[in-house]
Amino acid sequence: METCKLLHENVFAYVEKDLPPVMLQQFDKHVAECAECAAMVADFKSVLILMEEQKSIEPRPFAETRILQGIESRLEKRQSSSFPVFGRILQPALISVGVATALSIGFFIGSDFANVNSQYSQNEEITESVRSDLNVPEFMTDDIIYFTE
Amino acid sequence: MTDQELITGILNNDKTVIQFLVSKYHKQVIKTAFHLLQNMDDAEDLAQDVCVEIIESAGSFKGASSLSTWIYRLTVNKSLNFIRKNKRKQLVHQFESFFRKGDNSIETRVTEPSEYDKTFENNERRQILEKAVNSLPENQKTAFILSKYEELSYREITEIMNLSLPSVESLLQRAKQNLQKKLIVQFSEYSNKK
Ligand SMILES: [Zn+2]
């Protein structure tokens, strides 16, 4: 009973053979006689095999290609949606001028209102993309830096 | 290619170097993230995040530790943040995977029908182990995974986790003790169910 308790407290170290030789021999002898401890030791030996299996886990096929494609598209997206600081300031002004010019030209020509509208909605889309670009991306907001260099 | 050459190449936006970076480190990142997140889709997404962060913050790599250590640290930080943000989602996944027979989150080998019972029992045991490792406190789980699954030395773990050697030794000791307790309970419950 005393040995059962002792083995319960050291079963991980026992199956890993991370104990003094005297203790290992004592437990070997006990396991040969105690069915309950033998079952527990068998369970922990299977844990060691499963842990070995975890070491040899491989990425799925083409993971490298998928990652490269993902990186490329994310970097491209960021590059195309990020403006230099002065651009961020100038962009709304430029858009306003663009809208005004488009409207003036539209009125000047005096025809094809649909065309003006589509120009306007395009500019509205650009304004929206600028607005969303000014927002701080979610990934930069509340991450915890657990371990630092 | 040395760490410094790699960093210089990234800073110069050299596509070949970026390809080399992904080819060299994607396996390390995916494996570590998988062990922490227990989901291969999430691990791949996280590997993408880690690579983008390496590219974007290569300039801040001081070379105080090796590039591999820095990448491990980014992976662990991002994985722990992912877990924090997706705790609810994660709980549902663990619950499902615990009760899903023949879980395919880990590539299982094709076996003969005569080995079915053995495989079934292995799957049960695998899920018990996954659950026990997942229930460890964050620091213990991280140290355990880096030591046992990634086979890193104590010194490397101290660098990644920014801890002293005695702290890492104590973390691993406690991780093993906790795991042992949890596994004994789980295995006895499982054998009572049989
Ligand atoms: Zn016994």
Side-chain angles (χ1 to χ4, degrees):
Chain A
M1 273 298 152
E2 195 56 36
T3 314
C4 289
K5 189 171 171 279
L6 202 60
L7 184 54
H8 265 75
E9 287 163 4
N10 294 283
V11 60
F12 224 136
Y14 172 63
V15 294
E16 283 190 312
K17 300 197 188 301
D18 188 18
L19 288 172
V22 187
M23 241 175 140
L24 286 175
Q25 281 165 11
Q26 186 195 346
F27 286 150
D28 283 344
K29 198 166 161 270
H30 178 75
V31 169
E33 293 160 355
C34 175
E36 206 180 304
C37 284
M40 180 182 69
V41 166
D43 281 337
F44 275 83
K45 280 187 174 163
S46 75
V47 166
L48 285 193
I49 296 168
L50 292 171
M51 279 166 57
E52 269 313 303
E53 196 184 83
Q54 291 285 325
K55 286 180 199 170
S56 52
I57 277 173
E58 290 285 330
R60 294 179 298 201
F62 309 111
E64 185 179 342
T65 313
R66 279 193 297 277
I67 291 170
L68 272 170
Q69 282 169 346
I71 294 170
E72 209 162 310
S73 79
R74 279 170 63 175
L75 291 178
E76 268 170 20
K77 223 185 261 176
R78 263 179 218 180
Q79 267 163 10
S80 68
S81 69
S82 68
F83 298 98
V85 177
F86 81 96
R88 290 188 187 199
I89 299 161
L90 284 182
Q91 199 73 21
L94 288 172
I95 288 163
S96 307
V97 173
V99 172
T101 313
L103 285 170
S104 312
I105 292 168
F107 280 118
F108 184 73
I109 293 166
S111 63
D112 204 357
F113 273 89
N115 210 5
V116 174
N117 282 340
S118 86
Q119 182 84 33
Y120 181 74
S121 73
Q122 266 178 22
N123 281 323
E124 216 174 24
E125 268 175 42
I126 296 167
T127 319
E128 192 46 54
S129 89
V130 171
R131 198 176 294 139
S132 66
D133 182 58
L134 289 173
N135 289 334
V136 181
E138 195 233 335
F139 77 96
M140 286 181 71
T141 52
D142 56 351
D143 276 4
I144 295 175
I145 311 292
Y146 288 87
F147 311 115
T148 54
E149 196 175 6
Chain B
M1 195 181 288
T2 65
D3 286 358
Q4 205 43 58
E5 284 166 346
L6 227 160
I7 291 292
T8 310
I10 294 169
L11 289 171
N12 291 333
N13 212 10
D14 185 335
K15 278 203 170 165
T16 324
V17 173
I18 292 174
Q19 278 169 0
F20 179 81
L21 169 87
V22 174
S23 156
K24 188 174 178 189
Y25 289 105
H26 79 283
K27 200 171 154 184
Q28 166 188 323
V29 176
I30 289 178
K31 274 180 70 192
T32 311
F34 174 79
H35 290 135
L36 285 160
L37 307 176
Q38 292 297 323
N39 180 297
M40 204 43 113
D41 287 331
D42 293 340
E44 260 189 40
D45 287 348
L46 197 124
Q48 242 182 61
D49 285 352
V50 169
C51 291
V52 169
E53 174 135 5
I54 295 167
I55 294 164
E56 291 188 331
S57 54
S60 71
F61 175 70
K62 301 178 199 91
S65 52
S66 70
L67 187 60
S68 163
T69 301
W70 186 52
I71 294 174
Y72 266 120
R73 197 182 297 132
L74 287 177
T75 309
V76 171
N77 280 339
K78 280 198 180 290
S79 298
L80 296 182
N81 272 309
F82 182 93
I83 293 168
R84 191 169 58 89
K85 285 178 183 169
N86 293 271
K87 214 145 214 176
R88 263 186 63 195
K89 205 177 120 192
Q90 200 75 8
L91 273 174
V92 173
H93 171 75
Q94 280 167 23
F95 183 79
E96 283 172 357
S97 107
F98 188 71
F99 289 102
R100 200 191 311 133
K101 311 299 179 201
D103 176 38
N104 62 0
S105 64
I106 294 166
E107 298 288 330
T108 45
R109 283 177 224 107
V110 178
T111 49
E112 296 296 315
S114 58
E115 285 184 21
Y116 177 81
D117 287 342
K118 220 173 141 190
T119 309
F120 179 81
E121 227 171 85
N122 269 344
N123 280 331
E124 295 284 326
R125 285 203 170 104
R126 184 182 294 117
Q127 283 158 21
I128 286 172
L129 175 64
E130 269 178 31
K131 199 186 164 204
V133 173
N134 268 320
S135 67
L136 290 174
E138 222 162 53
N139 264 4
Q140 289 180 24
K141 179 178 158 183
T142 304
F144 181 84
I145 285 170
L146 294 176
S147 167
K148 293 291 175 187
Y149 295 165
E150 288 300 303
E151 299 181 274
L152 299 183
S153 68
Y154 282 20
R155 193 188 55 79
E156 286 170 299
I157 300 171
T158 62
E159 285 183 13
I160 294 164
M161 297 182 74
N162 211 6
L163 292 170
S164 67
L165 190 62
S167 304
V168 169
E169 283 170 345
S170 147
L171 264 184
L172 282 167
Q173 191 55 36
R174 277 181 285 147
K176 266 196 201 173
Q177 286 296 327
N178 278 336
L179 209 55
Q180 184 174 280
K181 275 186 213 156
K182 286 166 195 283
L183 288 173
I184 288 174
V185 173
Q186 291 290 327
F187 282 138
S188 81
E189 276 176 16
Y190 175 61
S191 61
N192 287 342
K193 260 196 298 180
K194 272 199 291 186

